Amino acid sequence: MATILPIIMCGGSGTRMWPESRESFPKQFLQLTGPLSSFQSTAVMLAGAAQFARPLVITNTDYRFLVAEQLAQVKVDAEIVLEPVRRDSGPAVAAAAEIAYARDPKAIVIIMAADHVVQKRDELIALCVKAAQAAGQGRIVTLGIKPTH
């Protein structure tokens, strides 16, 4: 199986958890559920799994220093790609797919949001490996969760 290129989307406007989260410091950079931000937790999880390549973080120019600082704090090496303007998830996913394709036309990518909290990391990694196997056969795979509340 090919190595999976993890893409972390790290944008947002900081409006959902105001006043803690704000435009200059959105929720993915806050320590809400433990000693790490959700962005840091995602980066550590993806960088620590042998099945994943070096993560690629897509963010906007406003967050470039926050992203770099938070990656350095957890000693995660990731490539940072800056969006010239904020445009929601669709263009970020399209840009990530184009970057991955330019590097390897058979690339398998996983797109992760920086503000999600993953409690069962080993299970998610196992699901990503299973999904990558299906993607390697030409399928598009999405993972979701059943809400509990």
Side-chain angles (χ1 to χ4, degrees), residues 8 38-48 55 57 70-71 74 76 78:
I8 304 172
S38 60
F39 167 63
Q40 288 174 313
S41 294
T42 300
V44 167
M45 173 182 64
L46 297 173
V57 179
Q70 288 210 349
L71 288 170
V74 293
V76 169

Side-chain angles (χ1 to χ4, degrees), residues 63-122:
Y63 303 144
R64 66 189 179 278
F65 298 117
L66 281 170
V67 166
E69 179 183 336
Q70 288 210 349
L71 288 170
Q73 288 171 352
V74 293
K75 297 176 177 52
V76 169
D77 178 36
E79 180 177 359
I80 301 171
V81 174
L82 300 177
E83 298 174 303
V85 292
R86 295 180 187 182
R87 291 281 188 238
D88 293 327
S89 300
V93 170
E98 182 64 30
I99 290 167
Y101 183 80
R103 292 180 183 171
D104 177 3
K106 295 184 185 244
I108 296 174
V109 300
I110 178 168
I111 308 290
M112 302 278 297
D115 61 353
H116 290 177
V117 175
V118 177
Q119 294 177 334
K120 298 179 180 180
R121 293 184 171 130
D122 292 339

Side-chain angles (χ1 to χ4, degrees), residues 117-133:
V117 175
V118 177
Q119 294 177 334
K120 298 179 180 180
R121 293 184 171 130
D122 292 339
E123 288 181 33
L124 178 62
I125 290 168
L127 282 172
C128 289
V129 169
K130 189 174 181 178
Q133 291 168 345

